[in-house]
PDB file of all heavy atoms in Angstrom:
ATOM      1  N   ASN A  35     -15.933 -35.855 -22.033  1.00  0.00           N
ATOM      2  CA  ASN A  35     -16.042 -36.794 -20.992  1.00  0.00           C
ATOM      3  C   ASN A  35     -15.231 -38.047 -21.197  1.00  0.00           C
ATOM      4  O   ASN A  35     -14.669 -38.534 -20.081  1.00  0.00           O
ATOM      5  CB  ASN A  35     -17.523 -37.189 -20.726  1.00  0.00           C
ATOM      6  CG  ASN A  35     -18.374 -35.976 -20.254  1.00  0.00           C
ATOM      7  OD1 ASN A  35     -17.861 -35.046 -19.576  1.00  0.00           O
ATOM      8  ND2 ASN A  35     -19.696 -36.048 -20.633  1.00  0.00           N
ATOM      9  N   LEU A  36     -15.141 -38.489 -22.251  1.00  0.00           N
ATOM     10  CA  LEU A  36     -14.313 -39.713 -22.452  1.00  0.00           C
ATOM     11  C   LEU A  36     -12.818 -39.382 -22.296  1.00  0.00           C
ATOM     12  O   LEU A  36     -12.076 -40.128 -21.752  1.00  0.00           O
ATOM     13  CB  LEU A  36     -14.511 -40.129 -23.982  1.00  0.00           C
ATOM     14  CG  LEU A  36     -13.473 -41.219 -24.515  1.00  0.00           C
ATOM     15  CD1 LEU A  36     -13.748 -42.455 -23.806  1.00  0.00           C
ATOM     16  CD2 LEU A  36     -13.718 -41.437 -25.993  1.00  0.00           C
ATOM     17  N   ILE A  37     -12.471 -38.096 -22.735  1.00  0.00           N
ATOM     18  CA  ILE A  37     -11.013 -37.775 -22.540  1.00  0.00           C
ATOM     19  C   ILE A  37     -10.760 -37.640 -21.099  1.00  0.00           C
ATOM     20  O   ILE A  37      -9.719 -38.100 -20.606  1.00  0.00           O
ATOM     21  CB  ILE A  37     -10.721 -36.405 -23.281  1.00  0.00           C
ATOM     22  CG1 ILE A  37     -10.904 -36.617 -24.749  1.00  0.00           C
ATOM     23  CG2 ILE A  37      -9.347 -35.820 -22.975  1.00  0.00           C
ATOM     24  CD1 ILE A  37     -10.926 -35.210 -25.548  1.00  0.00           C
ATOM     25  N   THR A  38     -11.620 -37.040 -20.317  1.00  0.00           N
ATOM     26  CA  THR A  38     -11.391 -36.763 -18.838  1.00  0.00           C
ATOM     27  C   THR A  38     -11.327 -38.156 -18.123  1.00  0.00           C
ATOM     28  O   THR A  38     -10.465 -38.318 -17.317  1.00  0.00           O
ATOM     29  CB  THR A  38     -12.522 -35.911 -18.307  1.00  0.00           C
ATOM     30  OG1 THR A  38     -12.708 -34.740 -19.043  1.00  0.00           O
ATOM     31  CG2 THR A  38     -12.284 -35.574 -16.830  1.00  0.00           C
ATOM     32  N   ALA A  39     -12.257 -38.963 -18.462  1.00  0.00           N
ATOM     33  CA  ALA A  39     -12.228 -40.378 -17.825  1.00  0.00           C
ATOM     34  C   ALA A  39     -10.938 -41.111 -18.133  1.00  0.00           C
ATOM     35  O   ALA A  39     -10.341 -41.785 -17.241  1.00  0.00           O
ATOM     36  CB  ALA A  39     -13.548 -41.169 -18.385  1.00  0.00           C
ATOM     37  N   ALA A  40     -10.541 -41.100 -19.429  1.00  0.00           N
ATOM     38  CA  ALA A  40      -9.239 -41.816 -19.856  1.00  0.00           C
ATOM     39  C   ALA A  40      -8.027 -41.170 -19.015  1.00  0.00           C
ATOM     40  O   ALA A  40      -7.148 -41.921 -18.599  1.00  0.00           O
ATOM     41  CB  ALA A  40      -9.051 -41.670 -21.302  1.00  0.00           C
ATOM     42  N   GLN A  41      -8.007 -39.852 -18.893  1.00  0.00           N
ATOM     43  CA  GLN A  41      -6.932 -39.262 -18.220  1.00  0.00           C
ATOM     44  C   GLN A  41      -6.924 -39.648 -16.726  1.00  0.00           C
ATOM     45  O   GLN A  41      -5.858 -40.061 -16.141  1.00  0.00           O
ATOM     46  CB  GLN A  41      -7.035 -37.744 -18.269  1.00  0.00           C
ATOM     47  CG  GLN A  41      -6.733 -37.233 -19.810  1.00  0.00           C
ATOM     48  CD  GLN A  41      -6.867 -35.739 -19.855  1.00  0.00           C
ATOM     49  OE1 GLN A  41      -7.588 -35.191 -18.956  1.00  0.00           O
ATOM     50  NE2 GLN A  41      -6.516 -35.021 -20.993  1.00  0.00           N
ATOM     51  N   PHE A  42      -8.016 -39.605 -16.123  1.00  0.00           N
ATOM     52  CA  PHE A  42      -8.125 -39.931 -14.797  1.00  0.00           C
ATOM     53  C   PHE A  42      -7.805 -41.351 -14.509  1.00  0.00           C
ATOM     54  O   PHE A  42      -7.054 -41.745 -13.447  1.00  0.00           O
ATOM     55  CB  PHE A  42      -9.693 -39.602 -14.121  1.00  0.00           C
ATOM     56  CG  PHE A  42      -9.824 -38.238 -13.669  1.00  0.00           C
ATOM     57  CD1 PHE A  42      -9.695 -37.246 -14.418  1.00  0.00           C
ATOM     58  CD2 PHE A  42     -10.376 -38.028 -12.452  1.00  0.00           C
ATOM     59  CE1 PHE A  42      -9.826 -35.942 -14.050  1.00  0.00           C
ATOM     60  CE2 PHE A  42     -10.518 -36.822 -11.988  1.00  0.00           C
ATOM     61  CZ  PHE A  42     -10.364 -35.745 -12.797  1.00  0.00           C
ATOM     62  N   ALA A  43      -8.208 -42.340 -15.225  1.00  0.00           N
ATOM     63  CA  ALA A  43      -7.929 -43.722 -15.108  1.00  0.00           C
ATOM     64  C   ALA A  43      -6.592 -44.090 -15.257  1.00  0.00           C
ATOM     65  O   ALA A  43      -5.949 -44.806 -14.531  1.00  0.00           O
ATOM     66  CB  ALA A  43      -8.901 -44.515 -16.212  1.00  0.00           C
ATOM     67  N   PHE A  44      -5.871 -43.416 -16.316  1.00  0.00           N
ATOM     68  CA  PHE A  44      -4.407 -43.746 -16.476  1.00  0.00           C
ATOM     69  C   PHE A  44      -3.600 -43.216 -15.279  1.00  0.00           C
ATOM     70  O   PHE A  44      -2.646 -43.998 -14.834  1.00  0.00           O
ATOM     71  CB  PHE A  44      -3.937 -43.118 -17.763  1.00  0.00           C
ATOM     72  CG  PHE A  44      -2.476 -43.458 -18.103  1.00  0.00           C
ATOM     73  CD1 PHE A  44      -2.232 -44.643 -18.655  1.00  0.00           C
ATOM     74  CD2 PHE A  44      -1.525 -42.492 -17.864  1.00  0.00           C
ATOM     75  CE1 PHE A  44      -0.823 -44.941 -18.914  1.00  0.00           C
ATOM     76  CE2 PHE A  44      -0.165 -42.815 -18.208  1.00  0.00           C
ATOM     77  CZ  PHE A  44       0.102 -44.072 -18.612  1.00  0.00           C
ATOM     78  N   ILE A  45      -3.781 -41.920 -14.983  1.00  0.00           N
ATOM     79  CA  ILE A  45      -3.105 -41.338 -13.910  1.00  0.00           C
ATOM     80  C   ILE A  45      -3.210 -42.020 -12.577  1.00  0.00           C
ATOM     81  O   ILE A  45      -2.326 -42.249 -11.778  1.00  0.00           O
ATOM     82  CB  ILE A  45      -3.296 -39.867 -13.758  1.00  0.00           C
ATOM     83  CG1 ILE A  45      -2.885 -39.041 -15.023  1.00  0.00           C
ATOM     84  CG2 ILE A  45      -2.647 -39.237 -12.508  1.00  0.00           C
ATOM     85  CD1 ILE A  45      -3.181 -37.558 -15.110  1.00  0.00           C
ATOM     86  N   ALA A  46      -4.558 -42.453 -12.293  1.00  0.00           N
ATOM     87  CA  ALA A  46      -4.726 -43.212 -11.090  1.00  0.00           C
ATOM     88  C   ALA A  46      -4.117 -44.601 -10.997  1.00  0.00           C
ATOM     89  O   ALA A  46      -3.534 -45.007 -10.025  1.00  0.00           O
ATOM     90  CB  ALA A  46      -6.432 -43.445 -10.968  1.00  0.00           C
ATOM     91  N   PHE A 212     -17.887 -41.133 -12.918  1.00  0.00           N
ATOM     92  CA  PHE A 212     -17.854 -41.395 -14.342  1.00  0.00           C
ATOM     93  C   PHE A 212     -19.028 -42.320 -14.700  1.00  0.00           C
ATOM     94  O   PHE A 212     -19.411 -42.352 -15.818  1.00  0.00           O
ATOM     95  CB  PHE A 212     -16.619 -41.732 -14.974  1.00  0.00           C
ATOM     96  CG  PHE A 212     -15.596 -40.648 -15.036  1.00  0.00           C
ATOM     97  CD1 PHE A 212     -14.533 -40.586 -14.105  1.00  0.00           C
ATOM     98  CD2 PHE A 212     -15.664 -39.544 -15.923  1.00  0.00           C
ATOM     99  CE1 PHE A 212     -13.671 -39.568 -14.133  1.00  0.00           C
ATOM    100  CE2 PHE A 212     -14.761 -38.478 -15.980  1.00  0.00           C
ATOM    101  CZ  PHE A 212     -13.625 -38.521 -14.972  1.00  0.00           C
ATOM    102  N   LEU A 249      -6.379 -39.941 -28.680  1.00  0.00           N
ATOM    103  CA  LEU A 249      -6.747 -40.200 -27.257  1.00  0.00           C
ATOM    104  C   LEU A 249      -5.705 -40.773 -26.522  1.00  0.00           C
ATOM    105  O   LEU A 249      -5.321 -40.165 -25.470  1.00  0.00           O
ATOM    106  CB  LEU A 249      -8.024 -41.034 -27.180  1.00  0.00           C
ATOM    107  CG  LEU A 249      -8.534 -41.356 -25.782  1.00  0.00           C
ATOM    108  CD1 LEU A 249      -8.956 -40.156 -25.151  1.00  0.00           C
ATOM    109  CD2 LEU A 249      -9.661 -42.439 -25.753  1.00  0.00           C
ATOM    110  N   ASN A 252      -2.899 -38.070 -26.162  1.00  0.00           N
ATOM    111  CA  ASN A 252      -3.308 -36.949 -25.210  1.00  0.00           C
ATOM    112  C   ASN A 252      -3.060 -37.571 -23.787  1.00  0.00           C
ATOM    113  O   ASN A 252      -2.546 -36.870 -22.907  1.00  0.00           O
ATOM    114  CB  ASN A 252      -4.694 -36.679 -25.398  1.00  0.00           C
ATOM    115  CG  ASN A 252      -5.129 -35.640 -24.342  1.00  0.00           C
ATOM    116  OD1 ASN A 252      -5.951 -36.052 -23.377  1.00  0.00           O
ATOM    117  ND2 ASN A 252      -4.729 -34.367 -24.421  1.00  0.00           N
ATOM    118  N   VAL A 253      -3.580 -38.779 -23.493  1.00  0.00           N
ATOM    119  CA  VAL A 253      -3.484 -39.284 -22.050  1.00  0.00           C
ATOM    120  C   VAL A 253      -1.996 -39.419 -21.654  1.00  0.00           C
ATOM    121  O   VAL A 253      -1.703 -38.994 -20.607  1.00  0.00           O
ATOM    122  CB  VAL A 253      -4.170 -40.650 -21.975  1.00  0.00           C
ATOM    123  CG1 VAL A 253      -3.868 -41.310 -20.684  1.00  0.00           C
ATOM    124  CG2 VAL A 253      -5.748 -40.404 -22.135  1.00  0.00           C
TER     125      VAL A 253
END
Side-chain angles (χ1 to χ4, degrees):
N35 291 330
L36 173 62
I37 297 169
T38 308
Q41 291 173 348
F42 272 56
F44 182 80
I45 293 175
F212 286 103
L249 178 63
N252 172 257
V253 169

